Amino acid sequence: MNVRIDPSWQRVLQPEFDKPYFELLTQYVRTQYQTCLCFPPAGLIFNAFDSCPFEKVRVVIIGQDPYHEPGQAMGLSFSVPDGVQIPPSLVNIYKEINRDLGKPIPASGDLHRWAEQGVLLLNATLTVQAHKAASHQGKGWEELTDAAIAALNREREHIVFMLWGSYAQRKGQFIDRRKHLVLQTSHPSPLSVYRGFEGCGHFSKANKYLEQHGLAPIDW
């Protein structure tokens, strides 16, 4: 199957696009978008890949599901368009960056500037029905995003994987710790931020690791 996606990711993921599960997934998603209100907008489903080519990935942040309320989801995990109220988890991420690196807290929740620097903001599931969290889980997206993570693990070196919460940690459990840096803590949501995310220092740790391997740090 031919999929419109960044060419670098087309090369990596084409074997998945040719598998039966992906054809079934495509049929399901197409029907959902035709019959229900779904997010993100169809043109942004692969935004994480289109905004961060395979060879440029330096950091991976794994989310679970797109935001399911109108105007929020934009195909990048934890990110919302400029002008949209910043969700609580992203507020806590910004607070930790401020604590960790002393950077001012942004007024915008648009994380494109991270993606452009090589931060892959990847949700495990790339679509969702409005007002129904996790409604598109178990339809095949997880298999595709597992393949993307596996390709990064296999073909690249010295990537920082930020695994926040048990779901992301399970999804990244196969990552080779000898080739990459894996940072784990609780999810930044208000329910779990105090279980480890607050004070985790992941952003300075990521930059230190990148610099140690001759790579430019991220301007968080």
Side-chain angles (χ1 to χ4, degrees):
M1 180 179 293
N2 187 35
V3 176
R4 279 194 229 165
I5 196 172
D6 177 84
S8 67
W9 284 105
Q10 180 89 45
R11 174 189 69 79
V12 171
L13 295 176
Q14 189 60 51
E16 301 302 309
F17 298 152
D18 292 335
K19 291 179 179 178
Y21 87 83
F22 190 79
E23 184 173 352
L24 292 173
L25 170 64
T26 301
Q27 292 171 359
Y28 172 79
V29 170
R30 187 179 293 123
T31 300
Q32 283 283 295
Y33 272 73
Q34 289 170 348
T35 59
C36 311
L37 179 60
C38 295
F39 304 121
L44 296 179
I45 291 173
F46 293 113
N47 196 18
F49 299 113
D50 293 334
S51 300
C52 189
F54 183 80
E55 291 80 9
K56 293 187 177 180
V57 176
R58 287 183 284 158
V59 177
V60 178
I61 298 178
I62 298 175
Q64 188 166 350
D65 218 28
Y67 296 119
H68 55 268
E69 295 302 324
Q72 292 183 306
M74 56 185 294
L76 304 175
S77 63
F78 295 101
S79 181
V80 292
D82 193 28
V84 173
Q85 183 176 356
I86 300 174
S89 290
L90 184 54
V91 168
N92 288 330
I93 291 169
Y94 280 167
K95 285 180 178 178
E96 178 57 22
I97 292 170
N98 172 259
R99 188 210 64 79
D100 188 18
L101 297 171
K103 290 186 172 291
I105 293 177
S108 171
D110 188 339
L111 301 180
H112 260 122
R113 63 185 187 86
W114 290 5
E116 290 166 359
Q117 295 179 75
V119 181
L120 180 64
L121 296 162
L122 184 64
N123 280 318
T125 304
L126 299 188
T127 58
V128 71
Q129 188 176 330
H131 318 302
K132 293 185 178 181
S135 50
H136 289 185
Q137 286 185 8
K139 304 298 182 182
W141 281 130
E142 295 90 342
E143 191 167 346
L144 180 72
T145 52
D146 279 349
I149 296 166
L152 289 167
N153 177 60
R154 181 177 63 250
E155 297 186 26
R156 298 285 313 282
E157 290 185 335
H158 310 315
I159 292 176
V160 180
F161 290 87
M162 294 184 174
L163 308 181
W164 300 334
S166 57
Y167 184 91
Q169 288 161 23
R170 287 194 301 273
K171 194 166 181 70
Q173 62 187 357
F174 63 84
I175 295 165
D176 188 347
R177 269 72 169 170
R178 297 165 298 179
K179 291 173 60 180
H180 306 286
L181 177 63
V182 176
L183 299 173
Q184 298 188 171
T185 189
S186 66
H187 195 276
S189 75
L191 295 175
S192 58
V193 65
Y194 300 112
R195 296 179 193 159
F197 185 87
E198 185 179 70
C200 68
H202 278 188
F203 304 95
S204 60
K205 290 174 182 175
N207 280 353
K208 181 179 179 181
Y209 177 84
L210 292 171
E211 290 178 310
Q212 284 173 342
H213 292 90
L215 301 169
I218 304 296
D219 180 8
W220 298 106

Short mmCIF file of all heavy atoms in Angstrom, two decimals, residues 1 20-39 45 65 125-130 132-142:
data_model
loop_
_atom_site.label_atom_id
_atom_site.label_comp_id
_atom_site.label_asym_id
_atom_site.label_seq_id
_atom_site.Cartn_x
_atom_site.Cartn_y
_atom_site.Cartn_z
N MET A 1 0.84 -1.19 0.00
CA MET A 1 0.00 0.00 0.00
C MET A 1 0.88 1.25 0.00
O MET A 1 1.89 1.31 0.70
CB MET A 1 -0.90 0.00 1.25
CG MET A 1 -1.82 1.22 1.33
SD MET A 1 -2.88 1.16 2.78
CE MET A 1 -3.92 -0.24 2.39
N PRO A 20 -1.25 -7.29 5.89
CA PRO A 20 -2.72 -7.29 5.96
C PRO A 20 -3.29 -6.44 7.09
O PRO A 20 -4.34 -5.80 6.91
CB PRO A 20 -3.05 -8.77 6.16
CG PRO A 20 -1.89 -9.51 5.55
CD PRO A 20 -0.69 -8.66 5.84
N TYR A 21 -2.64 -6.42 8.25
CA TYR A 21 -3.20 -5.66 9.37
C TYR A 21 -3.31 -4.19 9.03
O TYR A 21 -4.26 -3.50 9.47
CB TYR A 21 -2.36 -5.85 10.65
CG TYR A 21 -1.20 -4.91 10.80
CD1 TYR A 21 -1.36 -3.62 11.33
CD2 TYR A 21 0.09 -5.28 10.41
CE1 TYR A 21 -0.28 -2.75 11.47
CE2 TYR A 21 1.17 -4.42 10.55
CZ TYR A 21 0.97 -3.15 11.07
OH TYR A 21 2.03 -2.29 11.20
N PHE A 22 -2.35 -3.67 8.25
CA PHE A 22 -2.38 -2.23 7.94
C PHE A 22 -3.51 -1.90 6.97
O PHE A 22 -4.13 -0.84 7.07
CB PHE A 22 -1.03 -1.77 7.39
CG PHE A 22 -0.94 -0.27 7.28
CD1 PHE A 22 -0.68 0.50 8.41
CD2 PHE A 22 -1.17 0.37 6.08
CE1 PHE A 22 -0.64 1.89 8.33
CE2 PHE A 22 -1.12 1.76 5.99
CZ PHE A 22 -0.86 2.51 7.11
N GLU A 23 -3.79 -2.81 6.06
CA GLU A 23 -4.93 -2.59 5.16
C GLU A 23 -6.24 -2.56 5.95
O GLU A 23 -7.10 -1.72 5.72
CB GLU A 23 -4.98 -3.69 4.10
CG GLU A 23 -6.08 -3.47 3.08
CD GLU A 23 -6.04 -4.46 1.94
OE1 GLU A 23 -5.07 -5.23 1.85
OE2 GLU A 23 -6.99 -4.46 1.13
N LEU A 24 -6.37 -3.47 6.92
CA LEU A 24 -7.57 -3.47 7.77
C LEU A 24 -7.63 -2.20 8.62
O LEU A 24 -8.71 -1.62 8.80
CB LEU A 24 -7.56 -4.71 8.68
CG LEU A 24 -7.74 -6.06 7.98
CD1 LEU A 24 -7.54 -7.20 8.98
CD2 LEU A 24 -9.11 -6.15 7.32
N LEU A 25 -6.49 -1.78 9.14
CA LEU A 25 -6.44 -0.55 9.93
C LEU A 25 -6.87 0.64 9.08
O LEU A 25 -7.66 1.49 9.53
CB LEU A 25 -5.02 -0.35 10.46
CG LEU A 25 -4.71 1.02 11.10
CD1 LEU A 25 -5.56 1.24 12.34
CD2 LEU A 25 -3.21 1.13 11.42
N THR A 26 -6.35 0.72 7.86
CA THR A 26 -6.69 1.83 6.96
C THR A 26 -8.18 1.86 6.68
O THR A 26 -8.81 2.94 6.70
CB THR A 26 -5.89 1.70 5.65
OG1 THR A 26 -4.50 1.70 5.94
CG2 THR A 26 -6.21 2.85 4.71
N GLN A 27 -8.77 0.71 6.43
CA GLN A 27 -10.22 0.64 6.18
C GLN A 27 -11.01 1.11 7.40
O GLN A 27 -11.99 1.85 7.28
CB GLN A 27 -10.61 -0.79 5.80
CG GLN A 27 -10.06 -1.26 4.46
CD GLN A 27 -10.27 -2.75 4.24
OE1 GLN A 27 -10.81 -3.46 5.09
NE2 GLN A 27 -9.85 -3.23 3.07
N TYR A 28 -10.55 0.67 8.58
CA TYR A 28 -11.23 1.06 9.81
C TYR A 28 -11.16 2.58 10.03
O TYR A 28 -12.18 3.23 10.31
CB TYR A 28 -10.60 0.33 11.00
CG TYR A 28 -11.12 0.80 12.34
CD1 TYR A 28 -12.35 0.37 12.82
CD2 TYR A 28 -10.39 1.71 13.11
CE1 TYR A 28 -12.85 0.81 14.04
CE2 TYR A 28 -10.86 2.16 14.33
CZ TYR A 28 -12.10 1.71 14.79
OH TYR A 28 -12.58 2.17 16.00
N VAL A 29 -9.96 3.14 9.89
CA VAL A 29 -9.78 4.57 10.13
C VAL A 29 -10.56 5.39 9.10
O VAL A 29 -11.21 6.38 9.45
CB VAL A 29 -8.27 4.93 10.11
CG1 VAL A 29 -8.08 6.44 10.11
CG2 VAL A 29 -7.56 4.30 11.30
N ARG A 30 -10.52 4.96 7.84
CA ARG A 30 -11.27 5.69 6.80
C ARG A 30 -12.76 5.71 7.14
O ARG A 30 -13.42 6.76 7.05
CB ARG A 30 -11.02 5.03 5.44
CG ARG A 30 -11.61 5.81 4.28
CD ARG A 30 -11.31 5.13 2.94
NE ARG A 30 -9.89 5.17 2.65
CZ ARG A 30 -9.14 4.11 2.42
NH1 ARG A 30 -9.68 2.89 2.49
NH2 ARG A 30 -7.87 4.23 2.13
N THR A 31 -13.30 4.57 7.55
CA THR A 31 -14.72 4.51 7.90
C THR A 31 -15.03 5.38 9.11
O THR A 31 -16.05 6.09 9.14
CB THR A 31 -15.13 3.05 8.20
OG1 THR A 31 -14.91 2.26 7.03
CG2 THR A 31 -16.60 2.96 8.58
N GLN A 32 -14.15 5.35 10.10
CA GLN A 32 -14.36 6.17 11.29
C GLN A 32 -14.38 7.66 10.95
O GLN A 32 -15.24 8.41 11.43
CB GLN A 32 -13.24 5.89 12.30
CG GLN A 32 -13.40 4.59 13.06
CD GLN A 32 -14.43 4.70 14.17
OE1 GLN A 32 -14.25 5.44 15.14
NE2 GLN A 32 -15.53 3.96 14.03
N TYR A 33 -13.46 8.09 10.11
CA TYR A 33 -13.40 9.51 9.74
C TYR A 33 -14.59 9.92 8.89
O TYR A 33 -15.01 11.08 8.92
CB TYR A 33 -12.08 9.82 9.03
CG TYR A 33 -10.95 10.19 9.97
CD1 TYR A 33 -10.33 9.23 10.76
CD2 TYR A 33 -10.52 11.51 10.11
CE1 TYR A 33 -9.31 9.55 11.63
CE2 TYR A 33 -9.49 11.85 10.98
CZ TYR A 33 -8.89 10.86 11.74
OH TYR A 33 -7.88 11.20 12.62
N GLN A 34 -15.16 8.98 8.15
CA GLN A 34 -16.34 9.27 7.33
C GLN A 34 -17.62 9.32 8.14
O GLN A 34 -18.57 10.03 7.77
CB GLN A 34 -16.47 8.23 6.21
CG GLN A 34 -15.40 8.34 5.13
CD GLN A 34 -15.41 7.15 4.17
OE1 GLN A 34 -16.06 6.13 4.43
NE2 GLN A 34 -14.69 7.27 3.07
N THR A 35 -17.67 8.57 9.24
CA THR A 35 -18.92 8.42 9.99
C THR A 35 -18.91 9.07 11.37
O THR A 35 -19.97 9.24 11.96
CB THR A 35 -19.26 6.92 10.17
OG1 THR A 35 -18.18 6.27 10.86
CG2 THR A 35 -19.45 6.26 8.81
N CYS A 36 -17.73 9.42 11.88
CA CYS A 36 -17.62 10.01 13.22
C CYS A 36 -16.68 11.20 13.16
O CYS A 36 -15.89 11.35 12.23
CB CYS A 36 -17.06 9.00 14.23
SG CYS A 36 -17.83 7.39 14.23
N LEU A 37 -16.73 12.01 14.19
CA LEU A 37 -15.73 13.06 14.35
C LEU A 37 -14.50 12.43 14.99
O LEU A 37 -14.58 11.84 16.07
CB LEU A 37 -16.27 14.18 15.25
CG LEU A 37 -15.31 15.36 15.52
CD1 LEU A 37 -14.91 16.06 14.23
CD2 LEU A 37 -15.96 16.33 16.50
N CYS A 38 -13.37 12.52 14.31
CA CYS A 38 -12.13 11.90 14.79
C CYS A 38 -11.00 12.91 14.77
O CYS A 38 -11.03 13.90 14.04
CB CYS A 38 -11.76 10.69 13.92
SG CYS A 38 -12.94 9.32 13.99
N PHE A 39 -9.99 12.62 15.55
CA PHE A 39 -8.81 13.49 15.65
C PHE A 39 -7.54 12.66 15.52
O PHE A 39 -7.55 11.48 15.86
CB PHE A 39 -8.82 14.23 16.99
CG PHE A 39 -10.06 15.02 17.26
CD1 PHE A 39 -10.83 14.75 18.37
CD2 PHE A 39 -10.47 16.02 16.39
CE1 PHE A 39 -11.99 15.46 18.62
CE2 PHE A 39 -11.63 16.74 16.64
CZ PHE A 39 -12.39 16.46 17.75
N ILE A 45 -2.39 12.91 10.62
CA ILE A 45 -2.26 11.61 11.28
C ILE A 45 -0.79 11.19 11.41
O ILE A 45 -0.36 10.67 12.43
CB ILE A 45 -3.08 10.53 10.54
CG1 ILE A 45 -4.58 10.80 10.72
CG2 ILE A 45 -2.73 9.13 11.04
CD1 ILE A 45 -5.48 9.89 9.88
N ASP A 65 -2.22 8.18 23.36
CA ASP A 65 -3.42 8.41 22.57
C ASP A 65 -3.47 9.88 22.18
O ASP A 65 -3.06 10.73 22.98
CB ASP A 65 -4.62 8.08 23.46
CG ASP A 65 -5.75 7.40 22.73
OD1 ASP A 65 -5.48 6.72 21.74
OD2 ASP A 65 -6.89 7.56 23.16
N THR A 125 -1.03 5.16 19.53
CA THR A 125 -2.21 5.12 18.67
C THR A 125 -2.32 6.48 18.00
O THR A 125 -2.25 7.50 18.68
CB THR A 125 -3.47 4.83 19.50
OG1 THR A 125 -3.29 3.60 20.21
CG2 THR A 125 -4.70 4.72 18.62
N LEU A 126 -2.51 6.50 16.68
CA LEU A 126 -2.39 7.78 15.96
C LEU A 126 -3.72 8.47 15.69
O LEU A 126 -3.73 9.60 15.20
CB LEU A 126 -1.65 7.55 14.63
CG LEU A 126 -0.22 7.01 14.73
CD1 LEU A 126 0.44 7.02 13.37
CD2 LEU A 126 0.60 7.79 15.74
N THR A 127 -4.84 7.82 16.01
CA THR A 127 -6.14 8.44 15.82
C THR A 127 -7.04 8.12 17.00
O THR A 127 -6.78 7.21 17.77
CB THR A 127 -6.82 7.95 14.52
OG1 THR A 127 -6.95 6.52 14.57
CG2 THR A 127 -6.02 8.35 13.28
N VAL A 128 -8.13 8.89 17.10
CA VAL A 128 -9.09 8.68 18.20
C VAL A 128 -10.43 9.27 17.80
O VAL A 128 -10.49 10.24 17.03
CB VAL A 128 -8.57 9.32 19.50
CG1 VAL A 128 -8.61 10.85 19.44
CG2 VAL A 128 -9.31 8.82 20.72
N GLN A 129 -11.51 8.69 18.32
CA GLN A 129 -12.84 9.26 18.10
C GLN A 129 -13.08 10.36 19.13
O GLN A 129 -12.64 10.26 20.28
CB GLN A 129 -13.91 8.18 18.24
CG GLN A 129 -15.30 8.63 17.84
CD GLN A 129 -16.31 7.50 17.89
OE1 GLN A 129 -15.96 6.33 17.68
NE2 GLN A 129 -17.57 7.81 18.18
N ALA A 130 -13.76 11.40 18.73
CA ALA A 130 -14.01 12.53 19.61
C ALA A 130 -14.68 12.09 20.91
O ALA A 130 -15.60 11.26 20.89
CB ALA A 130 -14.91 13.55 18.90
N LYS A 132 -13.87 10.13 23.14
CA LYS A 132 -13.75 8.73 23.54
C LYS A 132 -12.28 8.33 23.59
O LYS A 132 -11.72 7.84 22.60
CB LYS A 132 -14.52 7.83 22.58
CG LYS A 132 -16.03 8.02 22.62
CD LYS A 132 -16.73 7.01 21.73
CE LYS A 132 -18.24 7.15 21.80
NZ LYS A 132 -18.93 6.14 20.94
N ALA A 133 -11.67 8.53 24.75
CA ALA A 133 -10.26 8.17 24.90
C ALA A 133 -10.06 6.70 24.60
O ALA A 133 -10.89 5.85 24.94
CB ALA A 133 -9.80 8.48 26.32
N ALA A 134 -8.95 6.39 23.93
CA ALA A 134 -8.53 5.02 23.64
C ALA A 134 -9.48 4.29 22.69
O ALA A 134 -9.43 3.07 22.57
CB ALA A 134 -8.37 4.21 24.93
N SER A 135 -10.35 5.01 22.00
CA SER A 135 -11.36 4.37 21.15
C SER A 135 -10.77 3.68 19.93
O SER A 135 -11.41 2.79 19.36
CB SER A 135 -12.41 5.40 20.70
OG SER A 135 -11.79 6.56 20.17
N HIS A 136 -9.56 4.06 19.50
CA HIS A 136 -8.94 3.41 18.35
C HIS A 136 -7.77 2.52 18.75
O HIS A 136 -6.97 2.13 17.89
CB HIS A 136 -8.47 4.46 17.33
CG HIS A 136 -9.60 5.13 16.60
ND1 HIS A 136 -9.41 6.03 15.57
CD2 HIS A 136 -10.96 5.02 16.75
CE1 HIS A 136 -10.59 6.45 15.13
NE2 HIS A 136 -11.53 5.85 15.83
N GLN A 137 -7.69 2.18 20.02
CA GLN A 137 -6.65 1.26 20.44
C GLN A 137 -7.01 -0.17 20.00
O GLN A 137 -8.17 -0.52 19.85
CB GLN A 137 -6.47 1.29 21.97
CG GLN A 137 -5.77 2.55 22.45
CD GLN A 137 -5.48 2.54 23.94
OE1 GLN A 137 -5.67 1.53 24.61
NE2 GLN A 137 -5.02 3.66 24.46
N GLY A 138 -5.97 -0.97 19.78
CA GLY A 138 -6.18 -2.37 19.42
C GLY A 138 -6.64 -2.60 17.99
O GLY A 138 -7.09 -3.70 17.65
N LYS A 139 -6.49 -1.59 17.14
CA LYS A 139 -6.91 -1.72 15.74
C LYS A 139 -5.73 -1.89 14.79
O LYS A 139 -5.94 -2.11 13.59
CB LYS A 139 -7.73 -0.48 15.32
CG LYS A 139 -8.94 -0.20 16.19
CD LYS A 139 -9.95 -1.34 16.15
CE LYS A 139 -11.18 -1.01 16.99
NZ LYS A 139 -12.15 -2.13 16.99
N GLY A 140 -4.50 -1.77 15.32
CA GLY A 140 -3.32 -1.94 14.47
C GLY A 140 -2.29 -0.85 14.57
O GLY A 140 -1.14 -1.04 14.19
N TRP A 141 -2.71 0.31 15.08
CA TRP A 141 -1.73 1.41 15.21
C TRP A 141 -0.53 1.01 16.06
O TRP A 141 0.61 1.38 15.76
CB TRP A 141 -2.39 2.64 15.82
CG TRP A 141 -3.22 3.48 14.91
CD1 TRP A 141 -4.50 3.92 15.14
CD2 TRP A 141 -2.85 4.03 13.63
NE1 TRP A 141 -4.94 4.69 14.10
CE2 TRP A 141 -3.94 4.78 13.17
CE3 TRP A 141 -1.69 3.95 12.86
CZ2 TRP A 141 -3.92 5.45 11.93
CZ3 TRP A 141 -1.66 4.61 11.63
CH2 TRP A 141 -2.77 5.36 11.19
N GLU A 142 -0.79 0.26 17.12
CA GLU A 142 0.30 -0.10 18.03
C GLU A 142 1.36 -0.94 17.33
O GLU A 142 2.56 -0.80 17.61
CB GLU A 142 -0.24 -0.86 19.26
CG GLU A 142 -1.17 -0.03 20.15
CD GLU A 142 -2.63 -0.13 19.76
OE1 GLU A 142 -2.93 -0.55 18.61
OE2 GLU A 142 -3.48 0.22 20.59
#
